[in-house]
PDB file of all heavy atoms in Angstrom:
ATOM      1  N   ASP A  52      98.436 117.450 106.286  1.00  0.00           N
ATOM      2  CA  ASP A  52      98.786 118.639 105.506  1.00  0.00           C
ATOM      3  C   ASP A  52      97.555 119.307 104.904  1.00  0.00           C
ATOM      4  O   ASP A  52      97.497 120.549 104.807  1.00  0.00           O
ATOM      5  CB  ASP A  52      99.774 118.274 104.402  1.00  0.00           C
ATOM      6  CG  ASP A  52     101.197 118.096 104.911  1.00  0.00           C
ATOM      7  OD1 ASP A  52     101.455 118.420 106.088  1.00  0.00           O
ATOM      8  OD2 ASP A  52     102.052 117.634 104.127  1.00  0.00           O
ATOM      9  N   LEU A  53      96.573 118.523 104.489  1.00  0.00           N
ATOM     10  CA  LEU A  53      95.333 119.116 103.972  1.00  0.00           C
ATOM     11  C   LEU A  53      94.666 119.986 105.018  1.00  0.00           C
ATOM     12  O   LEU A  53      94.210 121.104 104.729  1.00  0.00           O
ATOM     13  CB  LEU A  53      94.367 118.010 103.542  1.00  0.00           C
ATOM     14  CG  LEU A  53      94.565 117.357 102.187  1.00  0.00           C
ATOM     15  CD1 LEU A  53      93.555 116.235 102.010  1.00  0.00           C
ATOM     16  CD2 LEU A  53      94.421 118.378 101.054  1.00  0.00           C
ATOM     17  N   PHE A  54      94.577 119.484 106.233  1.00  0.00           N
ATOM     18  CA  PHE A  54      93.944 120.248 107.305  1.00  0.00           C
ATOM     19  C   PHE A  54      94.741 121.506 107.630  1.00  0.00           C
ATOM     20  O   PHE A  54      94.171 122.598 107.757  1.00  0.00           O
ATOM     21  CB  PHE A  54      93.801 119.378 108.563  1.00  0.00           C
ATOM     22  CG  PHE A  54      92.547 118.548 108.589  1.00  0.00           C
ATOM     23  CD1 PHE A  54      92.506 117.316 107.966  1.00  0.00           C
ATOM     24  CD2 PHE A  54      91.405 119.002 109.233  1.00  0.00           C
ATOM     25  CE1 PHE A  54      91.346 116.542 107.975  1.00  0.00           C
ATOM     26  CE2 PHE A  54      90.238 118.243 109.252  1.00  0.00           C
ATOM     27  CZ  PHE A  54      90.214 117.009 108.625  1.00  0.00           C
ATOM     28  N   LEU A  55      96.058 121.387 107.761  1.00  0.00           N
ATOM     29  CA  LEU A  55      96.870 122.538 108.143  1.00  0.00           C
ATOM     30  C   LEU A  55      96.935 123.591 107.033  1.00  0.00           C
ATOM     31  O   LEU A  55      97.050 124.782 107.316  1.00  0.00           O
ATOM     32  CB  LEU A  55      98.277 122.088 108.523  1.00  0.00           C
ATOM     33  CG  LEU A  55      98.383 121.203 109.774  1.00  0.00           C
ATOM     34  CD1 LEU A  55      99.834 120.824 110.028  1.00  0.00           C
ATOM     35  CD2 LEU A  55      97.788 121.894 110.995  1.00  0.00           C
ATOM     36  N   ALA A  56      96.857 123.153 105.773  1.00  0.00           N
ATOM     37  CA  ALA A  56      96.848 124.114 104.665  1.00  0.00           C
ATOM     38  C   ALA A  56      95.587 124.974 104.703  1.00  0.00           C
ATOM     39  O   ALA A  56      95.619 126.164 104.378  1.00  0.00           O
ATOM     40  CB  ALA A  56      96.947 123.381 103.334  1.00  0.00           C
ATOM     41  N   ALA A  57      94.475 124.375 105.104  1.00  0.00           N
ATOM     42  CA  ALA A  57      93.213 125.107 105.167  1.00  0.00           C
ATOM     43  C   ALA A  57      93.064 125.868 106.475  1.00  0.00           C
ATOM     44  O   ALA A  57      92.442 126.937 106.507  1.00  0.00           O
ATOM     45  CB  ALA A  57      92.042 124.138 105.009  1.00  0.00           C
ATOM     46  N   GLU A  58      93.636 125.328 107.539  1.00  0.00           N
ATOM     47  CA  GLU A  58      93.419 125.896 108.872  1.00  0.00           C
ATOM     48  C   GLU A  58      94.610 125.526 109.762  1.00  0.00           C
ATOM     49  O   GLU A  58      94.681 124.409 110.282  1.00  0.00           O
ATOM     50  CB  GLU A  58      92.115 125.340 109.459  1.00  0.00           C
ATOM     51  CG  GLU A  58      91.603 126.090 110.642  1.00  0.00           C
ATOM     52  CD  GLU A  58      90.158 125.723 110.953  1.00  0.00           C
ATOM     53  OE1 GLU A  58      89.315 125.717 110.014  1.00  0.00           O
ATOM     54  OE2 GLU A  58      89.870 125.449 112.120  1.00  0.00           O
ATOM     55  N   PRO A  59      95.565 126.437 109.933  1.00  0.00           N
ATOM     56  CA  PRO A  59      96.802 126.103 110.658  1.00  0.00           C
ATOM     57  C   PRO A  59      96.598 125.591 112.079  1.00  0.00           C
ATOM     58  O   PRO A  59      97.458 124.855 112.587  1.00  0.00           O
ATOM     59  CB  PRO A  59      97.572 127.425 110.653  1.00  0.00           C
ATOM     60  CG  PRO A  59      97.085 128.128 109.427  1.00  0.00           C
ATOM     61  CD  PRO A  59      95.632 127.779 109.330  1.00  0.00           C
ATOM     62  N   GLU A  60      95.490 125.949 112.716  1.00  0.00           N
ATOM     63  CA  GLU A  60      95.244 125.491 114.084  1.00  0.00           C
ATOM     64  C   GLU A  60      94.368 124.233 114.130  1.00  0.00           C
ATOM     65  O   GLU A  60      93.893 123.845 115.206  1.00  0.00           O
ATOM     66  CB  GLU A  60      94.573 126.605 114.896  1.00  0.00           C
ATOM     67  CG  GLU A  60      95.391 127.885 115.004  1.00  0.00           C
ATOM     68  CD  GLU A  60      96.621 127.722 115.883  1.00  0.00           C
ATOM     69  OE1 GLU A  60      96.599 126.858 116.772  1.00  0.00           O
ATOM     70  OE2 GLU A  60      97.601 128.462 115.663  1.00  0.00           O
ATOM     71  N   ALA A  61      94.149 123.601 113.005  1.00  0.00           N
ATOM     72  CA  ALA A  61      93.330 122.384 112.982  1.00  0.00           C
ATOM     73  C   ALA A  61      93.967 121.298 113.842  1.00  0.00           C
ATOM     74  O   ALA A  61      95.177 121.285 114.070  1.00  0.00           O
ATOM     75  CB  ALA A  61      93.167 121.892 111.549  1.00  0.00           C
ATOM     76  N   ARG A  62      93.124 120.394 114.306  1.00  0.00           N
ATOM     77  CA  ARG A  62      93.599 119.268 115.108  1.00  0.00           C
ATOM     78  C   ARG A  62      93.400 117.977 114.311  1.00  0.00           C
ATOM     79  O   ARG A  62      92.324 117.737 113.750  1.00  0.00           O
ATOM     80  CB  ARG A  62      92.830 119.175 116.422  1.00  0.00           C
ATOM     81  CG  ARG A  62      92.946 120.421 117.281  1.00  0.00           C
ATOM     82  CD  ARG A  62      94.288 120.496 117.996  1.00  0.00           C
ATOM     83  NE  ARG A  62      94.497 121.813 118.576  1.00  0.00           N
ATOM     84  CZ  ARG A  62      93.910 122.240 119.681  1.00  0.00           C
ATOM     85  NH1 ARG A  62      93.070 121.468 120.332  1.00  0.00           N
ATOM     86  NH2 ARG A  62      94.177 123.457 120.132  1.00  0.00           N
ATOM     87  N   VAL A  63      94.431 117.158 114.289  1.00  0.00           N
ATOM     88  CA  VAL A  63      94.385 115.928 113.499  1.00  0.00           C
ATOM     89  C   VAL A  63      95.115 114.817 114.241  1.00  0.00           C
ATOM     90  O   VAL A  63      96.222 115.025 114.758  1.00  0.00           O
ATOM     91  CB  VAL A  63      95.048 116.119 112.109  1.00  0.00           C
ATOM     92  CG1 VAL A  63      94.989 114.824 111.301  1.00  0.00           C
ATOM     93  CG2 VAL A  63      94.394 117.258 111.341  1.00  0.00           C
ATOM     94  N   ALA A  64      94.484 113.662 114.297  1.00  0.00           N
ATOM     95  CA  ALA A  64      95.152 112.415 114.712  1.00  0.00           C
ATOM     96  C   ALA A  64      94.636 111.341 113.766  1.00  0.00           C
ATOM     97  O   ALA A  64      93.610 110.714 114.017  1.00  0.00           O
ATOM     98  CB  ALA A  64      94.844 112.076 116.157  1.00  0.00           C
ATOM     99  N   CYS A  65      95.317 111.166 112.647  1.00  0.00           N
ATOM    100  CA  CYS A  65      94.836 110.316 111.557  1.00  0.00           C
ATOM    101  C   CYS A  65      95.653 109.033 111.470  1.00  0.00           C
ATOM    102  O   CYS A  65      96.878 109.074 111.290  1.00  0.00           O
ATOM    103  CB  CYS A  65      94.921 111.071 110.228  1.00  0.00           C
ATOM    104  SG  CYS A  65      94.452 110.078 108.787  1.00  0.00           S
ATOM    105  N   GLU A  66      94.974 107.904 111.584  1.00  0.00           N
ATOM    106  CA  GLU A  66      95.604 106.597 111.433  1.00  0.00           C
ATOM    107  C   GLU A  66      95.140 105.963 110.120  1.00  0.00           C
ATOM    108  O   GLU A  66      93.980 106.099 109.733  1.00  0.00           O
ATOM    109  CB  GLU A  66      95.216 105.678 112.596  1.00  0.00           C
ATOM    110  CG  GLU A  66      95.411 106.285 113.973  1.00  0.00           C
ATOM    111  CD  GLU A  66      96.863 106.525 114.339  1.00  0.00           C
ATOM    112  OE1 GLU A  66      97.744 105.954 113.668  1.00  0.00           O
ATOM    113  OE2 GLU A  66      97.119 107.269 115.300  1.00  0.00           O
ATOM    114  N   THR A  67      96.054 105.260 109.467  1.00  0.00           N
ATOM    115  CA  THR A  67      95.762 104.621 108.177  1.00  0.00           C
ATOM    116  C   THR A  67      96.063 103.133 108.250  1.00  0.00           C
ATOM    117  O   THR A  67      97.066 102.713 108.837  1.00  0.00           O
ATOM    118  CB  THR A  67      96.603 105.259 107.059  1.00  0.00           C
ATOM    119  OG1 THR A  67      96.338 106.659 107.003  1.00  0.00           O
ATOM    120  CG2 THR A  67      96.289 104.629 105.710  1.00  0.00           C
ATOM    121  N   PHE A  68      95.182 102.354 107.645  1.00  0.00           N
ATOM    122  CA  PHE A  68      95.380 100.910 107.483  1.00  0.00           C
ATOM    123  C   PHE A  68      95.301 100.605 105.993  1.00  0.00           C
ATOM    124  O   PHE A  68      94.380 101.052 105.309  1.00  0.00           O
ATOM    125  CB  PHE A  68      94.304 100.134 108.240  1.00  0.00           C
ATOM    126  CG  PHE A  68      94.253  98.662 107.917  1.00  0.00           C
ATOM    127  CD1 PHE A  68      95.328  97.842 108.200  1.00  0.00           C
ATOM    128  CD2 PHE A  68      93.130  98.097 107.327  1.00  0.00           C
ATOM    129  CE1 PHE A  68      95.289  96.484 107.909  1.00  0.00           C
ATOM    130  CE2 PHE A  68      93.068  96.741 107.035  1.00  0.00           C
ATOM    131  CZ  PHE A  68      94.155  95.928 107.326  1.00  0.00           C
ATOM    132  N   ALA A  69      96.269  99.869 105.493  1.00  0.00           N
ATOM    133  CA  ALA A  69      96.283  99.505 104.071  1.00  0.00           C
ATOM    134  C   ALA A  69      96.503  98.009 103.930  1.00  0.00           C
ATOM    135  O   ALA A  69      97.346  97.420 104.613  1.00  0.00           O
ATOM    136  CB  ALA A  69      97.382 100.260 103.332  1.00  0.00           C
ATOM    137  N   THR A  70      95.725  97.401 103.031  1.00  0.00           N
ATOM    138  CA  THR A  70      95.894  95.985 102.703  1.00  0.00           C
ATOM    139  C   THR A  70      95.518  95.811 101.236  1.00  0.00           C
ATOM    140  O   THR A  70      95.379  96.807 100.502  1.00  0.00           O
ATOM    141  CB  THR A  70      95.047  95.099 103.641  1.00  0.00           C
ATOM    142  OG1 THR A  70      95.366  93.717 103.390  1.00  0.00           O
ATOM    143  CG2 THR A  70      93.560  95.330 103.462  1.00  0.00           C
ATOM    144  N   THR A  71      95.360  94.582 100.790  1.00  0.00           N
ATOM    145  CA  THR A  71      95.080  94.331  99.384  1.00  0.00           C
ATOM    146  C   THR A  71      93.876  95.152  98.908  1.00  0.00           C
ATOM    147  O   THR A  71      92.771  95.008  99.426  1.00  0.00           O
ATOM    148  CB  THR A  71      94.806  92.832  99.165  1.00  0.00           C
ATOM    149  OG1 THR A  71      95.932  92.093  99.637  1.00  0.00           O
ATOM    150  CG2 THR A  71      94.572  92.530  97.701  1.00  0.00           C
ATOM    151  N   ASN A  72      94.129  96.052  97.958  1.00  0.00           N
ATOM    152  CA  ASN A  72      93.094  96.867  97.319  1.00  0.00           C
ATOM    153  C   ASN A  72      92.201  97.624  98.303  1.00  0.00           C
ATOM    154  O   ASN A  72      91.011  97.813  98.048  1.00  0.00           O
ATOM    155  CB  ASN A  72      92.220  95.994  96.400  1.00  0.00           C
ATOM    156  CG  ASN A  72      92.874  95.786  95.051  1.00  0.00           C
ATOM    157  OD1 ASN A  72      93.676  96.615  94.603  1.00  0.00           O
ATOM    158  ND2 ASN A  72      92.561  94.675  94.399  1.00  0.00           N
ATOM    159  N   ARG A  73      92.774  98.086  99.413  1.00  0.00           N
ATOM    160  CA  ARG A  73      91.954  98.789 100.400  1.00  0.00           C
ATOM    161  C   ARG A  73      92.819  99.740 101.226  1.00  0.00           C
ATOM    162  O   ARG A  73      93.906  99.372 101.670  1.00  0.00           O
ATOM    163  CB  ARG A  73      91.262  97.790 101.312  1.00  0.00           C
ATOM    164  CG  ARG A  73      90.201  98.400 102.240  1.00  0.00           C
ATOM    165  CD  ARG A  73      89.562  97.311 103.082  1.00  0.00           C
ATOM    166  NE  ARG A  73      88.882  96.321 102.242  1.00  0.00           N
ATOM    167  CZ  ARG A  73      87.606  96.384 101.901  1.00  0.00           C
ATOM    168  NH1 ARG A  73      86.853  97.396 102.320  1.00  0.00           N
ATOM    169  NH2 ARG A  73      87.069  95.439 101.146  1.00  0.00           N
ATOM    170  N   VAL A  74      92.309 100.956 101.441  1.00  0.00           N
ATOM    171  CA  VAL A  74      92.904 101.929 102.355  1.00  0.00           C
ATOM    172  C   VAL A  74      91.807 102.464 103.250  1.00  0.00           C
ATOM    173  O   VAL A  74      90.750 102.898 102.764  1.00  0.00           O
ATOM    174  CB  VAL A  74      93.582 103.092 101.590  1.00  0.00           C
ATOM    175  CG1 VAL A  74      94.051 104.174 102.564  1.00  0.00           C
ATOM    176  CG2 VAL A  74      94.758 102.587 100.766  1.00  0.00           C
ATOM    177  N   ILE A  75      92.042 102.426 104.562  1.00  0.00           N
ATOM    178  CA  ILE A  75      91.041 102.842 105.544  1.00  0.00           C
ATOM    179  C   ILE A  75      91.649 103.890 106.463  1.00  0.00           C
ATOM    180  O   ILE A  75      92.753 103.701 106.994  1.00  0.00           O
ATOM    181  CB  ILE A  75      90.550 101.643 106.369  1.00  0.00           C
ATOM    182  CG1 ILE A  75      89.924 100.581 105.461  1.00  0.00           C
ATOM    183  CG2 ILE A  75      89.539 102.088 107.429  1.00  0.00           C
ATOM    184  CD1 ILE A  75      89.593  99.284 106.177  1.00  0.00           C
ATOM    185  N   LEU A  76      90.926 104.990 106.663  1.00  0.00           N
ATOM    186  CA  LEU A  76      91.339 106.034 107.600  1.00  0.00           C
ATOM    187  C   LEU A  76      90.469 105.984 108.847  1.00  0.00           C
ATOM    188  O   LEU A  76      89.273 105.711 108.779  1.00  0.00           O
ATOM    189  CB  LEU A  76      91.199 107.425 106.981  1.00  0.00           C
ATOM    190  CG  LEU A  76      91.890 107.727 105.659  1.00  0.00           C
ATOM    191  CD1 LEU A  76      91.712 109.209 105.336  1.00  0.00           C
ATOM    192  CD2 LEU A  76      93.355 107.363 105.707  1.00  0.00           C
ATOM    193  N   GLY A  77      91.067 106.287 109.985  1.00  0.00           N
ATOM    194  CA  GLY A  77      90.335 106.450 111.231  1.00  0.00           C
ATOM    195  C   GLY A  77      91.059 107.454 112.096  1.00  0.00           C
ATOM    196  O   GLY A  77      92.235 107.757 111.882  1.00  0.00           O
ATOM    197  N   GLY A  78      90.356 107.983 113.095  1.00  0.00           N
ATOM    198  CA  GLY A  78      90.987 108.940 113.987  1.00  0.00           C
ATOM    199  C   GLY A  78      90.117 110.142 114.241  1.00  0.00           C
ATOM    200  O   GLY A  78      88.917 110.147 113.935  1.00  0.00           O
ATOM    201  N   GLU A  79      90.745 111.180 114.806  1.00  0.00           N
ATOM    202  CA  GLU A  79      90.012 112.346 115.279  1.00  0.00           C
ATOM    203  C   GLU A  79      90.537 113.611 114.615  1.00  0.00           C
ATOM    204  O   GLU A  79      91.754 113.770 114.457  1.00  0.00           O
ATOM    205  CB  GLU A  79      90.160 112.485 116.804  1.00  0.00           C
ATOM    206  CG  GLU A  79      89.693 111.269 117.586  1.00  0.00           C
ATOM    207  CD  GLU A  79      90.690 110.115 117.559  1.00  0.00           C
ATOM    208  OE1 GLU A  79      91.882 110.376 117.788  1.00  0.00           O
ATOM    209  OE2 GLU A  79      90.265 108.966 117.270  1.00  0.00           O
ATOM    210  N   VAL A  80      89.633 114.498 114.259  1.00  0.00           N
ATOM    211  CA  VAL A  80      90.007 115.760 113.630  1.00  0.00           C
ATOM    212  C   VAL A  80      89.139 116.884 114.179  1.00  0.00           C
ATOM    213  O   VAL A  80      88.060 116.647 114.735  1.00  0.00           O
ATOM    214  CB  VAL A  80      89.846 115.701 112.094  1.00  0.00           C
ATOM    215  CG1 VAL A  80      90.771 114.649 111.492  1.00  0.00           C
ATOM    216  CG2 VAL A  80      88.404 115.421 111.701  1.00  0.00           C
ATOM    217  N   ARG A  81      89.637 118.104 114.009  1.00  0.00           N
ATOM    218  CA  ARG A  81      88.823 119.274 114.336  1.00  0.00           C
ATOM    219  C   ARG A  81      89.222 120.428 113.432  1.00  0.00           C
ATOM    220  O   ARG A  81      90.409 120.734 113.295  1.00  0.00           O
ATOM    221  CB  ARG A  81      88.989 119.685 115.796  1.00  0.00           C
ATOM    222  CG  ARG A  81      87.946 120.738 116.219  1.00  0.00           C
ATOM    223  CD  ARG A  81      88.053 121.065 117.693  1.00  0.00           C
ATOM    224  NE  ARG A  81      89.158 121.974 117.955  1.00  0.00           N
ATOM    225  CZ  ARG A  81      89.501 122.385 119.173  1.00  0.00           C
ATOM    226  NH1 ARG A  81      88.852 121.940 120.241  1.00  0.00           N
ATOM    227  NH2 ARG A  81      90.498 123.212 119.340  1.00  0.00           N
ATOM    228  N   ALA A  82      88.238 121.039 112.813  1.00  0.00           N
ATOM    229  CA  ALA A  82      88.422 122.244 112.008  1.00  0.00           C
ATOM    230  C   ALA A  82      87.112 123.020 112.054  1.00  0.00           C
ATOM    231  O   ALA A  82      86.091 122.511 112.517  1.00  0.00           O
ATOM    232  CB  ALA A  82      88.796 121.893 110.567  1.00  0.00           C
ATOM    233  N   SER A  83      87.158 124.241 111.582  1.00  0.00           N
ATOM    234  CA  SER A  83      85.956 125.068 111.614  1.00  0.00           C
ATOM    235  C   SER A  83      84.891 124.504 110.686  1.00  0.00           C
ATOM    236  O   SER A  83      85.191 123.817 109.702  1.00  0.00           O
ATOM    237  CB  SER A  83      86.300 126.498 111.186  1.00  0.00           C
ATOM    238  OG  SER A  83      86.713 126.518 109.830  1.00  0.00           O
ATOM    239  N   ARG A  84      83.636 124.788 110.983  1.00  0.00           N
ATOM    240  CA  ARG A  84      82.539 124.320 110.136  1.00  0.00           C
ATOM    241  C   ARG A  84      82.657 124.867 108.721  1.00  0.00           C
ATOM    242  O   ARG A  84      82.215 124.232 107.763  1.00  0.00           O
ATOM    243  CB  ARG A  84      81.207 124.731 110.755  1.00  0.00           C
ATOM    244  CG  ARG A  84      80.870 123.985 112.042  1.00  0.00           C
ATOM    245  CD  ARG A  84      79.492 124.353 112.554  1.00  0.00           C
ATOM    246  NE  ARG A  84      79.156 123.622 113.775  1.00  0.00           N
ATOM    247  CZ  ARG A  84      78.013 123.741 114.419  1.00  0.00           C
ATOM    248  NH1 ARG A  84      77.071 124.577 113.957  1.00  0.00           N
ATOM    249  NH2 ARG A  84      77.794 123.043 115.519  1.00  0.00           N
ATOM    250  N   HIS A  85      83.259 126.034 108.603  1.00  0.00           N
ATOM    251  CA  HIS A  85      83.425 126.637 107.283  1.00  0.00           C
ATOM    252  C   HIS A  85      84.391 125.822 106.416  1.00  0.00           C
ATOM    253  O   HIS A  85      84.159 125.642 105.207  1.00  0.00           O
ATOM    254  CB  HIS A  85      83.940 128.071 107.434  1.00  0.00           C
ATOM    255  CG  HIS A  85      84.311 128.728 106.138  1.00  0.00           C
ATOM    256  ND1 HIS A  85      83.376 129.145 105.216  1.00  0.00           N
ATOM    257  CD2 HIS A  85      85.530 129.009 105.598  1.00  0.00           C
ATOM    258  CE1 HIS A  85      83.997 129.661 104.171  1.00  0.00           C
ATOM    259  NE2 HIS A  85      85.295 129.593 104.377  1.00  0.00           N
ATOM    260  N   ASN A  86      85.476 125.334 107.011  1.00  0.00           N
ATOM    261  CA  ASN A  86      86.516 124.645 106.247  1.00  0.00           C
ATOM    262  C   ASN A  86      86.337 123.137 106.161  1.00  0.00           C
ATOM    263  O   ASN A  86      86.815 122.506 105.210  1.00  0.00           O
ATOM    264  CB  ASN A  86      87.892 124.936 106.862  1.00  0.00           C
ATOM    265  CG  ASN A  86      88.366 126.344 106.588  1.00  0.00           C
ATOM    266  OD1 ASN A  86      88.145 126.886 105.514  1.00  0.00           O
ATOM    267  ND2 ASN A  86      89.024 126.954 107.570  1.00  0.00           N
ATOM    268  N   LEU A  87      85.667 122.554 107.146  1.00  0.00           N
ATOM    269  CA  LEU A  87      85.657 121.103 107.253  1.00  0.00           C
ATOM    270  C   LEU A  87      85.090 120.392 106.021  1.00  0.00           C
ATOM    271  O   LEU A  87      85.700 119.416 105.544  1.00  0.00           O
ATOM    272  CB  LEU A  87      84.907 120.675 108.514  1.00  0.00           C
ATOM    273  CG  LEU A  87      85.021 119.187 108.881  1.00  0.00           C
ATOM    274  CD1 LEU A  87      86.479 118.786 109.064  1.00  0.00           C
ATOM    275  CD2 LEU A  87      84.221 118.891 110.143  1.00  0.00           C
ATOM    276  N   PRO A  88      83.968 120.808 105.445  1.00  0.00           N
ATOM    277  CA  PRO A  88      83.434 120.072 104.294  1.00  0.00           C
ATOM    278  C   PRO A  88      84.395 120.013 103.104  1.00  0.00           C
ATOM    279  O   PRO A  88      84.535 118.959 102.469  1.00  0.00           O
ATOM    280  CB  PRO A  88      82.150 120.842 103.940  1.00  0.00           C
ATOM    281  CG  PRO A  88      81.746 121.503 105.217  1.00  0.00           C
ATOM    282  CD  PRO A  88      83.029 121.878 105.886  1.00  0.00           C
ATOM    283  N   SER A  89      85.065 121.126 102.807  1.00  0.00           N
ATOM    284  CA  SER A  89      85.978 121.123 101.666  1.00  0.00           C
ATOM    285  C   SER A  89      87.213 120.280 101.949  1.00  0.00           C
ATOM    286  O   SER A  89      87.764 119.628 101.042  1.00  0.00           O
ATOM    287  CB  SER A  89      86.383 122.554 101.301  1.00  0.00           C
ATOM    288  OG  SER A  89      87.048 123.189 102.379  1.00  0.00           O
ATOM    289  N   ILE A  90      87.669 120.262 103.197  1.00  0.00           N
ATOM    290  CA  ILE A  90      88.810 119.419 103.542  1.00  0.00           C
ATOM    291  C   ILE A  90      88.447 117.951 103.376  1.00  0.00           C
ATOM    292  O   ILE A  90      89.199 117.168 102.762  1.00  0.00           O
ATOM    293  CB  ILE A  90      89.279 119.687 104.984  1.00  0.00           C
ATOM    294  CG1 ILE A  90      89.737 121.137 105.164  1.00  0.00           C
ATOM    295  CG2 ILE A  90      90.416 118.735 105.357  1.00  0.00           C
ATOM    296  CD1 ILE A  90      90.020 121.517 106.616  1.00  0.00           C
ATOM    297  N   ILE A  91      87.303 117.566 103.916  1.00  0.00           N
ATOM    298  CA  ILE A  91      86.876 116.166 103.827  1.00  0.00           C
ATOM    299  C   ILE A  91      86.733 115.736 102.366  1.00  0.00           C
ATOM    300  O   ILE A  91      87.149 114.631 101.984  1.00  0.00           O
ATOM    301  CB  ILE A  91      85.551 115.955 104.588  1.00  0.00           C
ATOM    302  CG1 ILE A  91      85.745 116.218 106.091  1.00  0.00           C
ATOM    303  CG2 ILE A  91      85.017 114.551 104.350  1.00  0.00           C
ATOM    304  CD1 ILE A  91      86.739 115.302 106.764  1.00  0.00           C
ATOM    305  N   ALA A  92      86.197 116.615 101.537  1.00  0.00           N
ATOM    306  CA  ALA A  92      86.018 116.288 100.119  1.00  0.00           C
ATOM    307  C   ALA A  92      87.352 116.102  99.404  1.00  0.00           C
ATOM    308  O   ALA A  92      87.444 115.358  98.415  1.00  0.00           O
ATOM    309  CB  ALA A  92      85.204 117.379  99.435  1.00  0.00           C
ATOM    310  N   ALA A  93      88.386 116.761  99.898  1.00  0.00           N
ATOM    311  CA  ALA A  93      89.691 116.700  99.233  1.00  0.00           C
ATOM    312  C   ALA A  93      90.522 115.495  99.659  1.00  0.00           C
ATOM    313  O   ALA A  93      91.552 115.204  99.032  1.00  0.00           O
ATOM    314  CB  ALA A  93      90.469 117.986  99.526  1.00  0.00           C
ATOM    315  N   ILE A  94      90.103 114.786 100.697  1.00  0.00           N
ATOM    316  CA  ILE A  94      90.953 113.738 101.254  1.00  0.00           C
ATOM    317  C   ILE A  94      91.167 112.581 100.293  1.00  0.00           C
ATOM    318  O   ILE A  94      92.310 112.186 100.022  1.00  0.00           O
ATOM    319  CB  ILE A  94      90.376 113.235 102.598  1.00  0.00           C
ATOM    320  CG1 ILE A  94      90.573 114.302 103.677  1.00  0.00           C
ATOM    321  CG2 ILE A  94      91.038 111.929 103.005  1.00  0.00           C
ATOM    322  CD1 ILE A  94      89.954 113.944 105.020  1.00  0.00           C
ATOM    323  N   GLU A  95      90.092 112.012  99.741  1.00  0.00           N
ATOM    324  CA  GLU A  95      90.288 110.842  98.884  1.00  0.00           C
ATOM    325  C   GLU A  95      91.153 111.147  97.668  1.00  0.00           C
ATOM    326  O   GLU A  95      92.088 110.369  97.378  1.00  0.00           O
ATOM    327  CB  GLU A  95      88.948 110.242  98.455  1.00  0.00           C
ATOM    328  CG  GLU A  95      89.136 108.995  97.599  1.00  0.00           C
ATOM    329  CD  GLU A  95      87.836 108.282  97.242  1.00  0.00           C
ATOM    330  OE1 GLU A  95      86.778 108.629  97.803  1.00  0.00           O
ATOM    331  OE2 GLU A  95      87.877 107.367  96.385  1.00  0.00           O
TER     332      GLU A  95
END
């Protein structure tokens, strides 16, 4: 939703792993260079 809110044509394949006191993201994304830094900063 973060990616699509900033850029409706963004590409996302995000996988999440969660265990004791830990959350890990992995996968593939694509957005414009203009939007990508602010999206990444907003994720955590």
Side-chain angles (χ1 to χ4, degrees):
D52 282 351
L53 279 176
F54 274 85
L55 295 180
E58 195 166 311
E60 300 290 334
R62 301 283 168 76
V63 180
C65 176
E66 310 293 344
T67 302
F68 168 63
T70 187
T71 303
N72 278 334
R73 189 179 299 268
V74 173
I75 300 172
L76 305 186
E79 302 77 47
V80 298
R81 191 176 79 182
S83 65
R84 290 184 179 181
H85 173 72
N86 287 323
L87 190 58
S89 61
I90 299 172
I91 296 299
I94 288 176
E95 182 175 350

